Coordinates of all heavy atoms in Angstrom, one line a residue:
Chain A
A13 N -17.8 -24.2 -6.0 CA -19.3 -24.1 -5.9 C -19.8 -24.1 -4.5 O -20.8 -23.4 -4.1 CB -19.9 -25.2 -6.7
R14 N -19.1 -24.8 -3.6 CA -19.4 -24.8 -2.2 C -19.3 -23.4 -1.6 O -19.9 -23.2 -0.6 CB -18.4 -25.7 -1.4 CG -18.5 -27.1 -1.6 CD -17.4 -27.9 -0.9 NE -17.6 -29.3 -1.0 CZ -18.2 -30.0 -0.1 NH1 -18.7 -29.4 1.0 NH2 -18.4 -31.3 -0.2
F15 N -18.5 -22.6 -2.2 CA -18.3 -21.2 -1.7 C -19.0 -20.2 -2.6 O -18.7 -19.0 -2.6 CB -16.9 -20.9 -1.5 CG -16.2 -21.8 -0.5 CD1 -15.6 -23.0 -0.9 CD2 -16.2 -21.5 0.9 CE1 -15.0 -23.8 0.0 CE2 -15.6 -22.3 1.8 CZ -15.0 -23.5 1.4
D16 N -20.0 -20.6 -3.3 CA -20.9 -19.8 -4.1 C -20.1 -19.1 -5.2 O -20.5 -18.0 -5.7 CB -21.6 -18.7 -3.3 CG -22.6 -19.4 -2.3 OD1 -23.1 -20.4 -2.7 OD2 -22.7 -18.8 -1.2
I17 N -18.9 -19.6 -5.6 CA -18.2 -19.0 -6.7 C -18.8 -19.6 -8.0 O -18.8 -20.8 -8.2 CB -16.7 -19.4 -6.6 CG1 -16.1 -18.8 -5.4 CG2 -15.9 -18.9 -7.9 CD1 -14.7 -19.3 -5.0
P18 N -19.3 -18.7 -8.9 CA -20.0 -19.2 -10.1 C -19.0 -19.9 -11.0 O -17.9 -19.4 -11.3 CB -20.6 -17.9 -10.7 CG -19.9 -16.8 -10.1 CD -19.3 -17.2 -8.8
V19 N -19.4 -21.0 -11.5 CA -18.7 -21.8 -12.5 C -19.7 -22.2 -13.6 O -20.9 -22.1 -13.4 CB -18.0 -23.1 -11.9 CG1 -17.0 -22.7 -10.9 CG2 -19.1 -24.0 -11.3
S20 N -19.2 -22.6 -14.7 CA -20.1 -23.1 -15.8 C -20.8 -24.3 -15.4 O -20.2 -25.2 -14.8 CB -19.3 -23.3 -17.1 OG -18.4 -22.3 -17.4
P21 N -22.1 -24.5 -15.8 CA -22.7 -25.8 -15.5 C -22.1 -26.9 -16.3 O -21.7 -26.7 -17.5 CB -24.2 -25.5 -16.1 CG -24.1 -24.4 -17.0 CD -22.9 -23.5 -16.5
G22 N -21.8 -28.0 -15.6 CA -21.2 -29.1 -16.2 C -21.1 -30.3 -15.3 O -21.5 -30.3 -14.2
D23 N -20.4 -31.4 -15.8 CA -20.3 -32.6 -15.0 C -19.0 -33.3 -15.5 O -18.5 -33.1 -16.6 CB -21.5 -33.5 -15.2 CG -21.8 -34.3 -13.9 OD1 -20.8 -34.4 -13.0 OD2 -22.9 -34.9 -13.8
V24 N -18.6 -34.2 -14.6 CA -17.4 -35.1 -14.9 C -17.9 -36.3 -15.6 O -19.0 -36.8 -15.3 CB -16.6 -35.4 -13.6 CG1 -17.4 -36.2 -12.7 CG2 -15.3 -36.0 -14.0
A25 N -17.1 -36.9 -16.5 CA -17.5 -38.1 -17.2 C -16.3 -39.0 -17.4 O -15.2 -38.6 -17.7 CB -18.1 -37.7 -18.6
Y26 N -16.6 -40.3 -17.1 CA -15.5 -41.3 -17.3 C -15.7 -42.1 -18.6 O -14.7 -42.8 -19.0 CB -15.6 -42.3 -16.1 CG -15.1 -41.7 -14.8 CD1 -16.0 -40.9 -14.0 CD2 -13.8 -41.9 -14.3 CE1 -15.5 -40.3 -12.8 CE2 -13.4 -41.4 -13.1 CZ -14.3 -40.6 -12.4 OH -13.8 -40.0 -11.2
T27 N -16.8 -42.0 -19.2 CA -17.1 -42.7 -20.5 C -17.7 -41.7 -21.5 O -18.1 -40.7 -21.1 CB -18.1 -43.9 -20.3 OG1 -19.3 -43.3 -19.9 CG2 -17.6 -44.8 -19.2
V28 N -17.7 -42.2 -22.7 CA -18.3 -41.4 -23.8 C -19.8 -41.2 -23.5 O -20.3 -40.0 -23.7 CB -18.1 -42.1 -25.2 CG1 -18.8 -41.4 -26.3 CG2 -16.6 -42.1 -25.5
D29 N -20.5 -42.2 -23.1 CA -21.9 -42.1 -22.8 C -22.1 -41.0 -21.7 O -23.1 -40.2 -21.8 CB -22.5 -43.4 -22.4 CG -22.6 -44.3 -23.7 OD1 -22.6 -43.8 -24.8 OD2 -22.7 -45.6 -23.4
E30 N -21.3 -41.1 -20.7 CA -21.5 -40.1 -19.6 C -21.2 -38.7 -20.1 O -21.8 -37.8 -19.7 CB -20.5 -40.5 -18.4 CG -20.9 -41.6 -17.6 CD -19.9 -42.0 -16.5 OE1 -19.1 -41.1 -16.2 OE2 -19.9 -43.1 -16.0
A31 N -20.2 -38.6 -21.0 CA -19.9 -37.3 -21.6 C -21.1 -36.7 -22.3 O -21.4 -35.5 -22.2 CB -18.7 -37.4 -22.5
V32 N -21.8 -37.6 -23.1 CA -22.9 -37.1 -23.9 C -24.0 -36.7 -22.9 O -24.7 -35.6 -23.1 CB -23.4 -38.2 -24.8 CG1 -24.7 -37.8 -25.5 CG2 -22.4 -38.5 -25.9
A33 N -24.3 -37.5 -21.9 CA -25.3 -37.2 -20.9 C -25.0 -35.8 -20.2 O -25.9 -35.0 -20.0 CB -25.4 -38.3 -19.9
A34 N -23.7 -35.6 -19.9 CA -23.3 -34.4 -19.2 C -23.5 -33.2 -20.2 O -24.0 -32.1 -19.8 CB -21.8 -34.4 -18.8
A35 N -23.2 -33.4 -21.5 CA -23.4 -32.3 -22.5 C -24.9 -32.0 -22.6 O -25.2 -30.8 -22.7 CB -22.8 -32.8 -23.8
E36 N -25.7 -33.0 -22.7 CA -27.2 -32.7 -22.8 C -27.7 -31.9 -21.7 O -28.5 -31.0 -21.8 CB -27.9 -34.1 -22.9 CG -27.5 -35.0 -24.0 CD -28.1 -34.6 -25.4 OE1 -29.1 -33.9 -25.4 OE2 -27.4 -35.0 -26.4
A37 N -27.2 -32.2 -20.5 CA -27.6 -31.5 -19.3 C -27.1 -30.1 -19.2 O -27.8 -29.2 -18.8 CB -27.2 -32.3 -18.0
A38 N -25.9 -29.9 -19.7 CA -25.2 -28.6 -19.6 C -25.8 -27.7 -20.7 O -25.9 -26.5 -20.5 CB -23.7 -28.7 -19.7
G39 N -26.2 -28.2 -21.9 CA -26.7 -27.5 -23.0 C -25.6 -27.1 -24.0 O -24.5 -26.6 -23.6
Y40 N -25.8 -27.3 -25.3 CA -24.8 -27.1 -26.3 C -24.7 -25.6 -26.6 O -25.7 -24.9 -26.4 CB -25.2 -27.9 -27.6 CG -25.1 -29.3 -27.4 CD1 -26.2 -30.1 -27.2 CD2 -23.8 -30.0 -27.3 CE1 -26.2 -31.5 -27.1 CE2 -23.8 -31.3 -27.1 CZ -24.9 -32.1 -27.0 OH -24.8 -33.4 -26.8
P41 N -23.6 -25.1 -27.1 CA -22.3 -25.9 -27.3 C -21.6 -26.2 -25.9 O -21.8 -25.4 -25.0 CB -21.5 -24.9 -28.1 CG -22.0 -23.5 -27.7 CD -23.4 -23.7 -27.5
V42 N -20.8 -27.2 -26.0 CA -20.1 -27.6 -24.7 C -18.6 -27.6 -25.0 O -18.2 -27.7 -26.2 CB -20.5 -29.0 -24.2 CG1 -22.0 -28.9 -23.7 CG2 -20.3 -30.1 -25.2
V43 N -17.8 -27.6 -23.9 CA -16.4 -27.8 -24.0 C -16.1 -29.2 -23.3 O -16.6 -29.4 -22.2 CB -15.6 -26.7 -23.3 CG1 -14.1 -26.9 -23.6 CG2 -16.0 -25.4 -23.8
V44 N -15.3 -30.0 -24.0 CA -14.9 -31.3 -23.4 C -13.4 -31.1 -23.0 O -12.6 -30.8 -23.8 CB -15.0 -32.4 -24.4 CG1 -14.6 -33.8 -23.8 CG2 -16.4 -32.5 -25.0
K45 N -13.2 -31.2 -21.7 CA -11.8 -30.9 -21.2 C -11.2 -32.1 -20.5 O -11.8 -32.7 -19.5 CB -11.9 -29.7 -20.2 CG -12.5 -28.5 -20.8 CD -12.6 -27.4 -19.8 CE -11.3 -26.6 -19.7 NZ -11.5 -25.4 -18.7
A46 N -10.0 -32.5 -20.9 CA -9.3 -33.6 -20.3 C -8.9 -33.2 -18.8 O -8.6 -32.1 -18.6 CB -8.0 -33.9 -21.0
Q47 N -9.1 -34.1 -17.9 CA -8.8 -33.9 -16.5 C -7.5 -34.5 -16.1 O -7.4 -35.7 -15.8 CB -9.9 -34.4 -15.6 CG -11.2 -33.6 -15.9 CD -11.2 -32.2 -15.6 OE1 -11.0 -31.8 -14.4 NE2 -11.3 -31.3 -16.6
V48 N -6.4 -33.7 -16.2 CA -5.1 -34.1 -15.8 C -4.4 -33.0 -15.1 O -4.8 -31.8 -15.3 CB -4.2 -34.6 -17.0 CG1 -4.5 -35.9 -17.5 CG2 -4.2 -33.5 -18.1
Q49 N -3.5 -33.3 -14.2 CA -2.9 -32.2 -13.4 C -1.6 -31.8 -14.1 O -0.5 -32.0 -13.5 CB -2.7 -32.7 -11.9 CG -4.0 -32.8 -11.3 CD -3.9 -33.4 -9.9 OE1 -2.9 -33.8 -9.4 NE2 -5.1 -33.4 -9.2
V50 N -1.7 -31.3 -15.3 CA -0.5 -30.8 -16.0 C -1.0 -29.7 -17.0 O -2.1 -29.8 -17.5 CB 0.2 -32.0 -16.7 CG1 -0.7 -32.6 -17.8 CG2 1.5 -31.6 -17.3
G51 N -0.1 -28.8 -17.2 CA -0.4 -27.7 -18.1 C -0.3 -28.1 -19.6 O 0.2 -29.2 -19.9
G52 N -0.8 -27.3 -20.4 CA -0.7 -27.5 -21.9 C -1.7 -28.5 -22.4 O -1.5 -29.2 -23.4
R53 N -2.9 -28.6 -21.7 CA -3.9 -29.6 -22.2 C -4.4 -29.2 -23.6 O -4.7 -30.1 -24.4 CB -5.1 -29.6 -21.2 CG -4.8 -30.2 -19.9 CD -6.0 -30.1 -19.0 NE -6.4 -28.8 -18.7 CZ -7.5 -28.4 -18.1 NH1 -8.4 -29.3 -17.7 NH2 -7.7 -27.1 -17.8

Side-chain angles (χ1 to χ4, degrees):
Chain A
R14 287 173 173 270
F15 296 91
D16 297 326
I17 296 168
V19 294
S20 309
D23 208 347
V24 66
Y26 287 80
T27 65
V28 171
D29 287 340
E30 283 178 20
V32 172
E36 302 284 337
Y40 295 103
V42 296
V43 188
V44 183
K45 302 177 87 174
Q47 296 299 293
V48 281
Q49 293 174 351
V50 64
R53 288 177 298 171

